[in-house]
Amino acid sequence: MTCCWRCTVDRPLVIVGDSMLDVDIEGSATRLSPEAPVPVVDTERVWQRPGGAGLAAVLAARAEQDVVLVTAVGDDADGGALTDLLAHAGVTVLALPMSGTTVCKTRIRAAGQSMLRLDHGTGVAAGDTAPRSVAAAMERARAVCVADYGRGVTAHQGIRELLTRIAARVPVVWDPHPRGAVPTRGCWLVAPNQDEAAGNSPESLRRLWDAKAVCVTLGSRGALLGTADGSTHIAVPGSATRVGAGDTCGAGDRFAIAAAQALGAGEDVHTAVTAAVDAASRFVATGGAVAMSSAAAMDRHRLAVAETELITDDVAAAREQIRRSGRTLVATGGCFDLLHTGHIRLLRQARQLGDALVVLLNSDSSVRALKGPGRPVMAAVDRARVLAALACVDAVVIFDELSPEAALDRLRPDIWVKGGDYTEAELPEAGVVRRHGGEVVLLPTVAGYSSSNLIAAARS
């Protein structure tokens, strides 16, 4: 039976594993070097994001209020950048000591394709005793996701003892690595991909690792789940497939996090794996890990420079303008009646999830019906002008209905973003987004900011 949302309060989702800094250098390659027959990439943007277990933690923080990452952190510039990115995403880091320097992986990409990867850093987890803060977090965890990247965290003796002990009552999902440690006994789910399974069946791996269940992920073909009752193939739902998408970087992390969330909410393993296959497929279809990156230098590309072209009530026109360039479309919505710090943070984080951000803005009549006869304090056209002036907003669409469902049915975004003061179950539009193959992301809110409270204070 699924637990209610309130049962999860003060029980974090804990991610355990090796973190690194991932860098994507994006540009265009239209010529060869005169020194050698190799492409010259003209850099247009440089993106950074947490990698490994850090990426898994950021993915979890898109839908969870309390995410704890247990990882080894290096005392160097790359380690500092990694820690800052994690903090910005709302992840609490409990650090283990590291021997060596932070691992950094740099991908050079052109026209959406990876051309070269450069790795540097020698860092591995050090020590053999888990800090008390780590033990406390894992003991009260709602679920634990182990993201092993072969850098020593899963071989840490103290961490292994904790994982073995808590698995008797806390769901533990383990995403293994060929160079990593063997999963600890009693895991609720171990999820290797085909290469990591090395031709072994889920049933044989389940016995080998003494796990409750093993799921071999098969990419676009779904997953093969093995339990004590036998094996089951779980296919990718048709609504989660989008033609032309294909960057699978981070898909395994998205799968493991979704499975841990479902098991932590009380679902059985078949339901959890089904949800995980769906989540991983949507993640790949909406841009993969690249869509999780933060720009080291702000991308100043806009749909148009004229205000009249940024503000519209024609949803189809906004959609087609973005789709023609093949970009990942992110959308969010609301009244935005007095823009404040919380709104700005939401809009900037939403824009970083894709290539273009469309804001669905409630019209004056819509705000009045939702907020009362004294609202809005700013007319829709003025609210739209303020939003359109932000570098992170590519278009503003004004709609008259109380709910954005009809507008979303026409816009069909890849990702729909709302503040974390909602749950997905409270969003009637979530079904519309998912029906068109999109993903719903809940971002953390900034405590203490409310348009209604600001307006009331000003009027008093």
Side-chain angles (χ1 to χ4, degrees):
M1 179 177 178
T2 303
C3 296
C4 69
W5 176 82
R6 299 185 189 281
C7 297
T8 68
V9 175
D10 296 328
R11 298 188 63 198
L13 180 65
V14 176
I15 290 84
V16 177
D18 312 287
S19 298
M20 57 207 69
L21 181 65
D22 283 352
V23 178
D24 282 311
I25 299 175
E26 294 187 352
S28 58
T30 58
R31 55 198 172 94
L32 294 177
S33 169
E35 292 88 8
V38 295
V40 174
V41 177
D42 294 311
T43 301
E44 296 170 355
R45 295 187 295 185
V46 179
W47 298 88
Q48 294 180 331
R49 66 174 180 275
L55 175 61
V58 173
L59 288 168
R62 289 167 62 167
E64 298 277 341
Q65 291 292 320
D66 192 359
V67 176
V68 174
L69 172 62
V70 178
T71 192
V73 178
D75 184 15
D76 50 45
D78 287 338
L82 175 60
T83 301
D84 289 345
L85 288 167
L86 290 165
H88 184 71
V91 176
T92 300
V93 177
L94 299 180
L96 301 172
M98 173 179 281
S99 173
T101 57
T102 301
V103 175
C104 179
K105 298 184 176 182
T106 301
R107 290 195 304 174
I108 300 175
R109 296 161 54 85
Q113 299 295 319
S114 292
M115 302 182 65
L116 181 68
R117 197 181 94 176
L118 305 173
D119 292 2
H120 70 264
T122 59
V124 294
D128 55 12
T129 302
R132 290 183 179 179
S133 58
V134 171
M138 291 175 65
E139 290 284 359
R140 66 185 180 90
R142 183 171 80 259
V144 174
C145 177
V146 180
D148 188 2
Y149 279 82
R151 289 285 175 171
V153 170
T154 59
H156 188 284
Q157 188 60 37
I159 297 298
R160 294 187 68 81
E161 291 172 358
L162 280 169
L163 289 169
T164 302
R165 183 167 72 244
I166 67 170
R169 55 181 180 79
V170 176
V172 175
V173 175
W174 193 298
D175 184 6
H177 191 278
R179 296 194 304 272
V182 174
T184 53
R185 297 189 313 276
C187 288
W188 292 37
L189 178 68
V190 183
N193 61 30
Q194 272 187 296
D195 291 339
E196 292 158 350
N200 294 297
S201 69
E203 292 86 349
S204 63
L205 291 173
R206 187 181 66 83
R207 291 191 295 269
L208 175 66
W209 291 329
D210 194 16
K212 293 183 179 179
V214 168
C215 176
V216 178
T217 57
L218 308 174
S220 61
R221 293 182 290 116
L224 189 62
L225 172 64
T227 67
D229 297 325
S231 62
T232 307
H233 177 251
I234 298 174
V236 174
S239 62
T241 303
R242 188 181 299 280
V243 176
D247 189 350
T248 59
C249 178
D253 295 305
R254 184 68 187 95
F255 179 96
I257 286 295
Q261 287 174 311
L263 290 172
E267 302 289 2
D268 62 78
V269 69
H270 185 276
T271 302
V273 170
T274 301
V277 167
D278 183 37
S281 302
R282 290 178 187 277
F283 176 72
V284 172
T286 53
V290 173
M292 303 295 299
S293 303
S294 297
M298 175 64 73
D299 172 24
R300 301 193 179 278
H301 175 75
R302 303 283 297 240
L303 278 176
V305 295
E307 176 190 281
T308 54
E309 293 178 353
L310 290 174
I311 302 172
T312 182
D313 58 3
D314 189 341
V315 179
R319 182 189 69 225
E320 291 308 312
Q321 196 167 10
I322 293 168
R323 292 298 188 207
R324 276 199 302 270
S325 58
R327 294 184 290 163
T328 298
L329 170 57
V330 183
T332 189
C335 300
F336 297 97
D337 191 22
L338 283 194
L339 204 65
H340 56 66
T341 295
H343 290 143
I344 297 299
R345 178 175 175 178
L346 175 75
L347 292 167
R348 291 188 65 184
Q349 290 184 325
R351 175 61 176 78
Q352 290 172 355
L353 296 176
D355 301 309
L357 174 64
V358 175
V359 178
L360 301 182
L361 182 68
N362 292 78
S363 68
D364 292 345
S365 61
S366 176
V367 174
R368 195 171 301 114
L370 290 168
K371 304 291 186 179
R375 301 282 297 275
V377 297
M378 293 176 60
V381 65
D382 292 321
R383 289 182 281 127
R385 284 170 178 159
V386 171
L387 289 165
L390 300 175
C392 57
V393 175
D394 294 279
V396 181
V397 176
I398 301 171
F399 68 97
D400 285 320
E401 298 83 4
L402 298 185
S403 164
E405 290 175 82
L408 284 169
D409 196 35
R410 300 191 298 275
L411 185 62
R412 302 178 185 179
D414 299 298
I415 302 171
W416 171 244
V417 174
K418 291 294 285 184
D421 48 349
Y422 293 90
T423 66
E424 189 169 331
E426 295 172 336
L427 297 175
E429 68 269 22
V432 176
V433 175
R434 289 192 173 279
R435 187 169 69 245
H436 293 298
E439 183 176 2
V440 177
V441 172
L442 304 179
L443 293 176
T445 56
V446 180
Y449 288 92
S450 161
S451 293
S452 296
N453 291 344
L454 289 172
I455 292 168
R459 284 175 171 169
S460 66

